């Protein structure tokens, strides 16, 4: 009996490293939970991005969060509280969109970030807006999107023009330097030459909230909606993508989708968790 117990123990000791090695080879991702008390912010985080130096920036309800892997810092947007979007361009400038304001952060002499508002560049008649939700950079233009107006600046921070859509936009998207605007009353439009123009067959999306637009094969677009499923563009219009999963996608309530570096598609949903899909 003692010999059999010893044999079992030796086998157990030998198996543990083997199993552990197999688990490691599967590439189980490292994860760590950060409660709001630790990063001293609100519980809602709207956008996460990373600088060229490796710092993490988060658009949070209490301001802009900065994380260096060890310590969190929080920066305010002047009188505004909520930060809805953060975008870092190739030069490392940190642009933010927020509640009633938008602009960028720049370090002072001590390296502490200070907010510089671009709202002040707008005519007085345009300065009373609610939320800025998206920032895009295209060629030499910076585009700040609200649910009432779209503000266009040059890359020197000088105001160029505003666009007032016929109907309040529902969402904004950029694919391959093309900017798309979703309006429930009109469907899908594109921003061209300083004005919104109807996208070919874009009226298909009347009454549908678009949550993401991704590039696909042969200049096609993959269009995710909040609760109407996922569609792909064709020469004749739009058709459902993966029809067998339509009911699942409709129930999922898709909040966002991105194309990963390996070509797969990551989808965040309200009701069905986080999805990783191939083409």
């Amino acid at each position: 009996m003692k010999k059999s117990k010893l044999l079992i123990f030796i086998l157990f000791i030998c198996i543990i490293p083997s199993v552990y090695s197999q688990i490691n080879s599967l590439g189980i991702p490292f994860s760590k939970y950060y409660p709001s008390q630790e990063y001293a912010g609100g519980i809602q985080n709207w956008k996460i991005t990373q600088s060229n130096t490796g710092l993490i920036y988060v658009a949070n309800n209490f301001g802009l969060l900065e994380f260096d892997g060890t310590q969190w810092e929080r920066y305010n947007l002047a009188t505004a509280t909520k930060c809805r979007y953060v975008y870092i361009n190739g030069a490392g400038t940190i642009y933010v969109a927020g509640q009633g304001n938008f602009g960028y952060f720049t370090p002072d002499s001590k390296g502490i970030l200070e907010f510089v508002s671009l709202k002040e560049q707008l005519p007085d008649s345009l300065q009373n807006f609610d939320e800025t939700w998206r920032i895009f950079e295209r060629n030499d233009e910076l585009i700040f999107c609200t649910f009432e107006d779209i503000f266009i600046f040059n890359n020197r921070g000088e105001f160029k023009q505003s666009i007032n859509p016929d109907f309040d936009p529902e969402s904004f998207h950029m694919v391959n330097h093309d900017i798309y605007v979703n309006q429930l009353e009109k469907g899908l439009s594109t921003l061209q030459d300083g004005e919104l123009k109807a996208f070919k067959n874009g009226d298909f999306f009347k009454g549908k909230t678009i949550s993401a637009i991704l590039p696909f094969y042969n200049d096609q677009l993959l269009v995710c909606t909040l609760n109407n499923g996922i569609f792909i563009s064709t020469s004749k219009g739009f058709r459902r993508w993966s029809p067998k999963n339509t009911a699942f996608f409709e129930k999922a309530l898709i909040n966002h989708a991105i194309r990963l570096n390996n070509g797969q598609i990551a989808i965040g949903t309200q009701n069905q968790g986080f999805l990783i899909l191939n083409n």
Side-chain angles (χ1 to χ4, degrees):
M1 177 68 79
K2 288 183 179 180
K3 287 185 178 180
S4 63
K5 285 184 177 179
L6 178 61
L7 179 60
I8 291 173
F9 177 75
I10 292 173
L11 286 172
F12 182 71
I13 293 297
C14 293
I15 288 172
I16 286 178
S18 174
V19 172
Y20 184 75
S21 175
Q22 289 179 26
I23 291 176
N24 275 350
S25 68
L26 293 176
I28 295 176
F30 165 82
S31 64
K32 176 177 171 58
Y33 170 64
Y34 296 98
S36 57
Q37 294 85 352
E38 183 170 346
Y39 58 75
I43 60 173
Q44 285 184 306
N45 298 293
W46 298 94
K47 174 69 176 177
I48 301 175
T49 190
Q50 188 173 24
S51 70
N52 292 333
T53 59
L55 296 175
I56 299 294
Y57 290 92
V58 183
N60 179 271
N61 268 3
F62 284 8
L64 178 70
L65 306 179
E66 179 187 71
F67 184 55
D68 63 4
T70 303
Q71 184 174 346
W72 292 89
E73 297 288 346
R74 191 180 79 208
Y75 301 97
N76 296 325
L77 282 67
T79 57
T81 300
K82 297 176 182 178
C83 184
R84 299 299 197 186
Y85 199 80
V86 54
Y87 163 73
I88 303 176
N89 70 2
T93 304
I94 305 168
Y95 291 97
V96 292
Q99 183 180 35
N101 215 333
F102 58 85
Y104 61 93
F105 279 93
T106 185
D108 63 13
S109 58
K110 297 180 180 179
I112 305 300
L113 294 181
E114 291 184 335
F115 177 68
V116 178
S117 174
L118 290 175
K119 172 184 174 180
E120 313 303 325
Q121 300 282 341
L122 299 176
D124 291 342
S125 60
L126 296 176
Q127 291 194 19
N128 186 24
F129 57 87
D130 186 13
E131 307 266 5
T132 317
W133 287 96
R134 287 291 182 273
I135 305 169
F136 301 114
E137 185 176 23
R138 183 172 64 173
N139 300 327
D140 63 344
E141 291 182 338
L142 288 165
I143 301 165
F144 299 88
C145 303
T146 79
F147 285 155
E148 294 181 357
D149 296 290
I150 299 172
F151 303 119
I152 301 177
F153 287 69
N154 62 27
N155 54 14
R156 297 185 300 277
E158 299 168 340
F159 175 64
K160 292 178 60 177
Q161 73 170 106
S162 66
I163 299 171
N164 180 242
D166 295 335
F167 302 97
D168 290 347
E170 191 74 12
S171 63
F172 311 89
H173 312 271
M174 185 169 178
V175 179
N176 296 330
H177 295 285
D178 291 322
I179 295 175
Y180 299 89
V181 179
N182 170 215
Q183 297 163 284
L184 293 181
E185 297 83 356
K186 297 183 69 173
L188 193 61
S189 302
T190 60
L191 182 60
Q192 299 178 25
D193 302 321
E195 61 180 308
L196 285 180
K197 298 181 179 180
F199 183 66
K200 182 181 179 182
N201 301 310
D203 57 353
F204 174 83
F205 291 101
K206 281 184 178 180
K208 299 179 178 70
T209 298
I210 296 175
S211 49
I213 303 178
L214 304 179
F216 213 65
Y217 293 130
N218 300 321
D219 296 325
Q220 292 175 303
L221 297 176
L222 194 70
V223 182
C224 303
T225 66
L226 177 66
N227 53 10
N228 294 100
I230 303 178
F231 302 88
I232 188 169
S233 64
T234 71
S235 59
K236 298 180 180 180
F238 291 87
R239 62 171 175 81
R240 287 196 178 275
W241 182 65
S242 187
K244 65 180 181 180
N245 293 316
T246 293
F248 176 86
F249 289 139
E250 290 177 344
K251 180 182 176 182
L253 296 184
I254 297 172
N255 275 343
H256 194 52
I258 61 172
R259 174 76 71 174
L260 301 178
N261 289 337
N262 63 5
Q264 293 180 325
I265 298 165
I267 298 179
T269 77
Q270 292 185 32
N271 296 332
Q272 297 293 339
F274 180 67
L275 314 175
I276 301 290
L277 306 177
N278 61 23
N279 289 323

